[in-house]
Amino acid sequence: MNSEEEFYDAVTGFDSDNSSGDFSEANHKVAEMLDLDPHQSDRTGKHNGETEIQENGIKRHRTSLPAPMFSRNDFSVWSILKKCIGLELSKITMPIVFNEPLSFLQRITEYMEHIYLINKACSHADPLERMQAVAAFAVSAVASQWERTGKPFNPLLGETYELTREDLGFRFISEQVSHHPPISAFYSEGLNKDFIFHGSIYPKLKFWGKSIEAEPRGTITLELLKHNEAYTWTNPTCCVHNVIIGKLWLEQYGTVEIVNHSTGDKCVLNFKPCGLFGKELHRVEGHIQDKNRKKLCVIYGKWTECLWCTDPTTYETYKKNEKRGGEQKKLKPSEDVIKSENDEADDMPEVQDTVQFIPGSKLLWRINCRPPNSSQMYNFTSFAVSLNELEKGMEAILAPTDCRLRPDIRNMENGNMDVASKEKERLEEKQRAARKERAKDEVEWHTRWFHQGTNPYTGTSDWLYSGGYFDRNFSDCPDIY
């Protein structure tokens, strides 16, 4: 086992979608504020008296968690990491208080929150408009990370998650296909057979002392079946600042290239790093070009807010005027942003005002509003709140490896932190024992729903869906819980 694998095992919070923000100042009055009582929830995670069917016949999903978020004020990451000095990192585990009650497989499913953008891409006859919608979808896929203070649970080897949303028109299946290195594979399809969305994620971790950087590995592919088109891209790099001391904050940076393998069109998006004065924090800027590299439109916005597009000439004219002092004065950073008062931590820059709208621009995407009580629910979106919901009768049809059946996540969601912590330790030890047993018997692990192969569009290594999950033959699924 190399050091990187040990680090992943040990500090289980800092994986590909590790997100952060201000540690919530949760207090003892949260339950009263939210009118949440864990004892008033049944075993499905639903509140008593909540109806499942709305008047229009569409299934209703829960809008709150069974219990409020546990306060992290009395815990520090440094108190854990300092124990790593001189010891094997695999011996150190993070307290469950730094988790959020979702598996990383469920976090991946949050890509589907803005599925209407895929539907929009499918409906457009113009390939440029399809690329605009796909670009907006790619940006929206990382938007749920904004201000998420907790880390998702690391999936156990063989763990799965399925989600069918008839109201949104898709079904989704994911599986943890490898533990060392950690690889999560997913596959989604439209219920109308209009798209296929699939990929595998393997983060490359770098620890810089005060920050942890997760460089994405793995290809994401979207196929629009009606148009016989395939788009591929890789997510931007995620960096979590102040993991030792100070206020946690998150930024995404790097270049994302979305390629239409049918037309040769390409969208190049630059997720800008924070910069010295913080002016570029959360900003995204890029363009769409045809196969001859001619710019067709410019895209700009923030991955935490919205995305716009305009024609290149209008954009360049606006930028020239801005440099001459037009709108530049409005964006002048304040003095307290220029110099940090704390030499021990990288203070989060002051977030600048909303995206500067360029007249004539078209709105491509805007982030959904979060629930009013989101700050006491791990800053979950409404979509995220519903992901671990275990409805009556669902346990009988789910695969026994589904995340919803994990006792540590379920107990944390219900506010039983001590039980959740013990269950987490038990599951991790069970996984280690199973791995040792396989090594002793020289038995290789076999994935159930995905197989390793080659992405047909990029030619790179990928994990591809083998099919058959929704036939619901789960007789040979492993016992991981």
Side-chain angles (χ1 to χ4, degrees):
M1 181 184 296
N2 60 38
S3 60
E4 181 183 318
E5 292 171 344
E6 291 172 345
F7 185 82
Y8 185 88
D9 250 355
V11 188
T12 59
F14 306 115
D15 50 349
S16 70
D17 263 323
N18 187 10
S19 47
S20 72
D22 300 350
F23 265 169
S24 173
E25 296 181 359
N27 54 59
H28 300 294
K29 298 182 180 179
V30 168
E32 296 178 8
M33 294 168 56
L34 302 183
D35 192 26
L36 292 178
D37 184 352
H39 303 293
Q40 296 300 317
S41 300
D42 61 22
R43 63 183 299 278
T44 68
K46 251 186 217 304
H47 298 302
N48 290 345
E50 181 175 312
T51 59
E52 293 186 19
I53 305 298
Q54 294 179 354
E55 292 182 0
N56 60 6
I58 298 176
K59 182 184 293 185
R60 178 180 179 180
H61 295 275
R62 68 183 184 183
T63 57
S64 294
L65 297 180
M69 174 180 170
F70 190 83
S71 174
R72 300 180 179 129
N73 293 341
D74 297 329
F75 297 85
S76 71
V77 178
W78 173 239
S79 67
I80 307 302
L81 291 183
K82 67 182 180 181
K83 299 177 183 178
C84 296
I85 300 174
L87 298 175
E88 288 185 24
L89 291 174
S90 59
K91 302 297 182 183
I92 308 299
T93 57
M94 294 290 287
I96 204 169
V97 70
F98 293 107
N99 284 70
E100 62 179 26
L102 289 177
S103 167
F104 181 59
L105 295 183
Q106 291 166 311
R107 176 69 77 85
I108 294 174
T109 313
E110 293 184 55
Y111 287 171
M112 309 305 293
E113 178 173 354
H114 300 274
I115 189 178
Y116 75 90
L117 293 167
I118 294 182
N119 297 332
K120 184 179 291 187
C122 291
S123 68
H124 285 311
D126 183 1
L128 175 59
E129 291 184 305
R130 290 198 294 274
M131 177 63 90
Q132 290 171 348
V134 172
F137 176 75
V139 173
S140 75
V142 301
S144 66
Q145 298 180 42
W146 180 43
E147 294 187 335
R148 291 281 279 275
T149 61
K151 74 170 195 68
F153 282 70
N154 288 338
L156 301 169
L157 183 62
E159 185 175 312
T160 61
Y161 181 72
E162 68 162 280
L163 181 66
T164 299
R165 289 290 297 264
E166 295 182 2
D167 56 329
L168 299 178
F170 76 88
R171 61 184 185 181
F172 183 101
I173 173 62
S174 57
E175 178 183 7
Q176 190 70 6
V177 295
S178 174
H179 185 62
H180 291 308
I183 303 177
S184 306
F186 67 90
Y187 171 90
S188 181
E189 62 185 15
L191 297 181
N192 293 325
K193 308 298 182 184
D194 48 354
F195 75 87
I196 294 175
F197 178 56
H198 58 94
S200 53
I201 298 177
Y202 161 39
K204 177 74 172 180
L205 300 177
K206 296 179 182 178
F207 182 48
W208 298 106
K210 291 190 294 183
S211 64
I212 290 179
E213 184 181 77
E215 177 189 346
R217 299 285 179 92
T219 303
I220 295 176
T221 303
L222 173 63
E223 301 179 36
L224 304 183
L225 303 181
K226 173 184 174 182
H227 301 285
N228 195 29
E229 289 182 338
Y231 302 79
T232 60
W233 67 90
T234 300
N235 282 332
T237 294
C238 173
C239 186
V240 183
H241 295 272
N242 296 338
V243 295
I244 301 298
I245 190 173
K247 185 172 63 176
L248 287 173
W249 61 281
L250 166 76
E251 66 174 326
Q252 309 258 8
Y253 48 76
T255 300
V256 173
E257 290 192 355
I258 306 171
V259 178
N260 182 331
H261 292 270
S262 300
T263 65
D265 293 350
K266 180 187 294 186
C267 178
V268 182
L269 296 173
N270 181 20
F271 285 71
K272 297 194 173 185
C274 169
L276 181 61
F277 301 138
K279 177 183 175 181
E280 304 297 335
L281 184 64
H282 304 326
R283 293 192 179 275
V284 180
E285 193 175 280
H287 65 272
I288 296 175
Q289 64 186 40
D290 63 18
K291 62 182 180 181
N292 297 317
R293 297 187 178 182
K294 177 185 177 182
K295 282 189 180 182
L296 305 177
C297 77
V298 172
I299 294 176
Y300 67 96
K302 288 185 178 182
W303 63 268
T304 57
E305 187 177 331
C306 60
L307 209 62
W308 300 85
C309 72
T310 188
D311 67 271
T313 302
T314 301
Y315 185 81
E316 292 302 324
T317 301
Y318 181 85
K319 283 297 182 181
K320 288 179 181 178
N321 292 336
E322 188 181 51
K323 288 182 179 179
R324 290 174 187 150
E327 296 294 323
Q328 189 87 6
K329 295 178 182 179
K330 295 182 181 180
L331 299 176
K332 185 177 180 181
S334 56
E335 292 298 323
D336 59 336
V337 177
I338 296 178
K339 181 173 176 60
S340 169
E341 296 178 357
N342 186 356
D343 292 332
E344 297 297 326
D346 296 327
D347 285 355
M348 179 177 177
E350 180 180 293
V351 178
Q352 302 295 336
D353 290 338
T354 186
V355 175
Q356 296 296 309
F357 172 74
I358 300 175
S361 298
K362 179 176 72 172
L363 180 66
L364 297 180
W365 161 80
R366 189 181 297 279
I367 196 170
N368 291 334
C369 292
R370 294 187 177 179
N373 54 351
S374 177
S375 63
Q376 308 306 335
M377 297 191 300
Y378 309 89
N379 284 315
F380 280 3
T381 65
S382 296
F383 187 83
V385 167
S386 70
L387 291 178
N388 202 47
E389 188 174 15
L390 188 60
E391 301 173 13
K392 186 176 181 180
M394 183 180 287
E395 189 171 349
I397 63 172
L398 287 174
T401 50
D402 194 277
C403 304
R404 297 177 184 86
L405 306 178
R406 276 189 64 159
D408 50 354
I409 297 179
R410 181 61 58 191
N411 276 282
M412 182 182 185
E413 180 183 275
N414 289 331
N416 304 321
M417 300 298 288
D418 290 340
V419 176
S421 182
K422 292 177 182 178
E423 285 293 328
K424 179 173 178 287
E425 292 178 8
R426 181 184 67 81
L427 292 176
E428 291 171 346
E429 181 55 39
K430 182 174 182 176
Q431 180 173 235
R432 283 190 287 268
R435 186 166 61 235
K436 290 179 182 178
E437 191 67 23
R438 289 195 302 272
K440 177 182 176 181
D441 298 338
E442 298 183 347
V443 175
E444 291 187 5
W445 174 266
H446 294 287
T447 55
R448 182 64 178 84
W449 309 111
F450 292 82
H451 64 275
Q452 197 165 15
T454 301
N455 187 291
Y457 306 104
T458 64
T460 57
S461 178
D462 203 354
W463 285 84
L464 308 175
Y465 180 52
S466 301
Y469 177 87
F470 293 98
D471 294 336
R472 303 203 174 277
N473 178 11
F474 302 138
S475 58
D476 59 346
C477 285
D479 175 16
I480 60 175
Y481 300 146

